[in-house]
């Protein structure tokens, strides 16, 4: 480049590129970010001195785009893409190495590339902030929903306790007075139904954290092993392998033994139910300075995205009618919350689900 006119043309191309990149970023759809990055790549291609042979490669995080004829053996200018001051990718602009050298690039082109890389990093930062805000908002909405459900179920449980006790009490009195065997059998069915309903009420009260607890220092591993032994017939029925991994055999926590057993039973039983025959269930217990973590993973189909926020809600179940009340995980959630712990789930790799329960240390 020798003339002032040529230099002016190049400056115009560079300014046009910056303007177009800014417009793309301002109007970017965060859910279609790859299309925006591809548009930026072609803006860069047009801004270089020898635009007819210029090719661009851009990679950041999960996204990777390039112009049609980009080759990795090209002579290139490179600029790193930083997201929150951490290198998360790079953008390369190149010429064919058989005809061009590094000296064919302009100093201003490196400056332009650095500015575009900075803009891309800012775009990714805004997307991550938006995604984080959306996750936080969903968590707050779910927590609020579970809190409301807890209050409702506690009220329902208290209201049902008295009539159920009356039904059960009067039915027992009638069995002592009636001699007709068929009538006695009918009364026994009434009592069985009342007892079953009372158990449902207990589960509702567990979810609402209304049941009295007997908190004491307990050894976790013997309880885990006891639950696994209890479920061995179910494991054998589906030819499932259960592997155990404990950081220590002397892990202690403050808990209600019965409720802790119920948590472990429900979570492992759920893993068994959703596991395909011949697969593996893993129970992993980790201990840190601040908490005790129980991970139970299976190799089932996993939890669909649209159901992730519902799994701990009362009466929600994906099991067929008659195979589940939808109270198992909601009860587990209530127990863990009352122990000042938390429960989360995530996808297993390559398939399945991992439930993680965290309890604070003694």
């Amino acid at each position: 480049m020798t003339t002032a006119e040529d230099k002016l043309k190049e400056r115009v191309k560079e300014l046009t590129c910056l303007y177009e990149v800014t417009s793309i970023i301002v109007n970017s759809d965060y859910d279609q970010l790859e299309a925006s990055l591809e548009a930026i790549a072609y803006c860069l291609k047009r801004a270089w001195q020898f635009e007819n042979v210029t090719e661009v490669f851009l990679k950041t995080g999960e996204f990777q785009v390039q112009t049609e004829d980009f080759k990795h053996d090209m002579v290139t200018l490179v600029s790193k893409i930083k997201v929150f001051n951490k290198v998360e990718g790079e953008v390369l602009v190149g010429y064919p190495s058989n005809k061009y050298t590094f000296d064919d690039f302009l100093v201003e082109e490196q400056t332009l590339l650095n500015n575009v890389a900075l803009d891309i990093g800012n775009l990714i930062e805004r997307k991550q902030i938006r995604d984080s805000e959306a996750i936080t908002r969903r968590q707050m909405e779910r927590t609020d929903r579970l809190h409301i459900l807890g209050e409702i179920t506690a009220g329902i449980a208290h209201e049902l306790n008295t009539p159920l006790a009356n039904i059960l009490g009067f039915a027992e009195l009638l069995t002592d007075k009636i001699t007709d065997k068929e009538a006695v059998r009918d009364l026994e069915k009434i009592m069985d139904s009342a007892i079953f309903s009372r158990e449902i009420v207990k589960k509702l009260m567990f979810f609402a954290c209304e049941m009295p607890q007997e908190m004491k220092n307990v050894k976790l591993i013997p309880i885990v092993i006891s639950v696994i032994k209890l479920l061995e017939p179910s494991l054998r029925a589906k030819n499932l392998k259960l592997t155990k991994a404990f950081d220590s055999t002397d892990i202690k926590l403050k808990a209600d033994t019965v409720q802790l057993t119920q948590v472990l039973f429900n979570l492992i039983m759920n893993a068994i139910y959703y596991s395909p025959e011949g697969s593996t269930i893993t129970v992993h217990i980790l201990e840190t300075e601040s908490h005790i973590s129980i991970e139970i993973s299976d190799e089932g189909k996993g939890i669909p995205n649209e159901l992730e926020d519902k799994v701990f809600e009362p009466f929600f179940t994906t099991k067929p009618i008659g195979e589940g009340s939808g109270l198992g995980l909601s009860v587990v959630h209530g127990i863990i919350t009352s122990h000042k712990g938390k429960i989360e789930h995530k996808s297993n790799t390559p398939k399945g689900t991992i439930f993680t329960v965290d309890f604070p240390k003694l």
Side-chain angles (χ1 to χ4, degrees), residues 76-143:
T76 59
L77 290 180
V78 181
S79 187
K80 300 297 182 183
I81 298 171
K82 291 185 178 181
V83 181
F84 297 112
N85 294 321
K86 181 181 177 183
V87 175
E88 294 287 349
E90 61 184 3
V91 55
L92 289 72
V93 180
Y95 293 144
S97 57
N98 60 338
K99 292 183 179 180
Y100 296 87
T101 68
F102 189 79
D103 292 334
D104 290 310
F105 292 111
L106 304 176
V107 174
E108 293 82 3
E109 288 173 341
Q110 182 67 63
T111 303
L112 172 63
L113 189 60
N114 292 342
N115 287 331
V116 172
L118 180 63
D119 288 341
I120 294 170
N122 291 336
L123 173 62
I124 302 298
E125 284 180 5
R126 288 199 292 274
K127 180 184 185 301
Q128 291 184 5
I129 290 169
R130 190 210 64 162
D131 292 346
S132 177
E133 287 175 347
I135 291 169
T136 302
R137 184 168 59 253
R138 285 198 300 271
Q139 289 175 339
M140 290 176 66
E141 289 171 354
R142 179 176 164 276
T143 301

Side-chain angles (χ1 to χ4, degrees), residues 220-238:
L220 176 59
I221 304 306
I223 297 174
V224 174
I225 293 172
S226 175
V227 170
I228 292 171
K229 285 183 179 178
L230 193 64
L231 291 170
E232 280 179 354
S234 299
L235 291 164
R236 285 197 298 270
K238 295 183 72 174

Side-chain angles (χ1 to χ4, degrees), residues 35-222:
S36 298
L37 295 175
E38 186 174 348
I40 290 172
Y42 279 93
C43 282
L44 283 169
K45 178 178 168 67
R46 293 190 297 270
W48 254 242
Q49 181 180 7
F50 307 110
E51 59 183 281
N52 292 333
V53 294
T54 301
E55 302 298 337
V56 180
F57 175 86
L58 194 162
K59 181 178 181 181
T60 177
E62 61 187 287
F63 303 104
Q64 178 176 310
V65 298
Q66 65 185 63
T67 53
E68 293 178 4
D69 296 322
F70 180 83
K71 302 290 189 298
H72 284 282
D73 61 353
M74 287 181 151
V75 56
T76 59
L77 290 180
V78 181
S79 187
K80 300 297 182 183
I81 298 171
K82 291 185 178 181
V83 181
F84 297 112
N85 294 321
K86 181 181 177 183
V87 175
E88 294 287 349
E90 61 184 3
V91 55
L92 289 72
V93 180
Y95 293 144
S97 57
N98 60 338
K99 292 183 179 180
Y100 296 87
T101 68
F102 189 79
D103 292 334
D104 290 310
F105 292 111
L106 304 176
V107 174
E108 293 82 3
E109 288 173 341
Q110 182 67 63
T111 303
L112 172 63
L113 189 60
N114 292 342
N115 287 331
V116 172
L118 180 63
D119 288 341
I120 294 170
N122 291 336
L123 173 62
I124 302 298
E125 284 180 5
R126 288 199 292 274
K127 180 184 185 301
Q128 291 184 5
I129 290 169
R130 190 210 64 162
D131 292 346
S132 177
E133 287 175 347
I135 291 169
T136 302
R137 184 168 59 253
R138 285 198 300 271
Q139 289 175 339
M140 290 176 66
E141 289 171 354
R142 179 176 164 276
T143 301
D144 186 55
R145 188 164 63 247
L146 288 172
H147 176 71
I148 293 168
L149 282 169
E151 291 185 351
I152 292 171
T153 52
I156 292 171
H158 285 302
E159 290 295 325
L160 287 176
N161 260 337
T162 300
L164 284 174
N166 290 338
I167 291 168
L168 193 57
F170 284 114
E172 287 175 344
L173 288 173
L174 285 171
T175 55
D176 294 333
K177 296 179 180 179
I178 294 175
T179 55
D180 187 307
K181 290 185 179 179
E182 288 189 7
V184 169
R185 279 198 297 271
D186 290 340
L187 285 169
E188 287 174 349
K189 289 179 182 178
I190 291 172
M191 287 189 290
D192 289 341
S193 296
I195 291 169
F196 176 79
S197 299
R198 192 170 63 182
E199 290 304 308
I200 295 292
V201 169
K202 281 184 181 179
K203 289 182 178 180
L204 286 171
M205 293 178 76
F206 271 128
F207 171 75
C209 304
E210 292 287 332
M211 292 296 290
Q213 293 175 322
E214 293 184 16
M215 301 291 284
K216 56 185 179 181
N217 295 341
V218 297
K219 288 189 174 182
L220 176 59
I221 304 306

Side-chain angles (χ1 to χ4, degrees), residues 286-314:
L286 310 129
E287 184 178 21
T288 68
E289 292 183 2
S290 59
H291 69 275
I292 294 164
S293 181
I294 304 170
E295 291 184 357
I296 297 171
S297 59
D298 63 62
E299 298 175 349
K301 293 181 179 179
I303 300 171
N305 292 337
E306 64 272 17
L307 302 181
E308 286 184 348
D309 291 339
K310 297 182 178 180
V311 294
F312 298 119
E313 293 181 2

Side-chain angles (χ1 to χ4, degrees), residues 268-296:
I268 298 174
M269 194 67 218
N270 247 25
I272 291 171
Y273 181 87
Y274 289 105
S275 291
E277 289 194 14
S279 61
T280 300
I281 294 171
T282 303
V283 179
H284 188 192
I285 298 178
L286 310 129
E287 184 178 21
T288 68
E289 292 183 2
S290 59
H291 69 275
I292 294 164
S293 181
I294 304 170
E295 291 184 357
I296 297 171

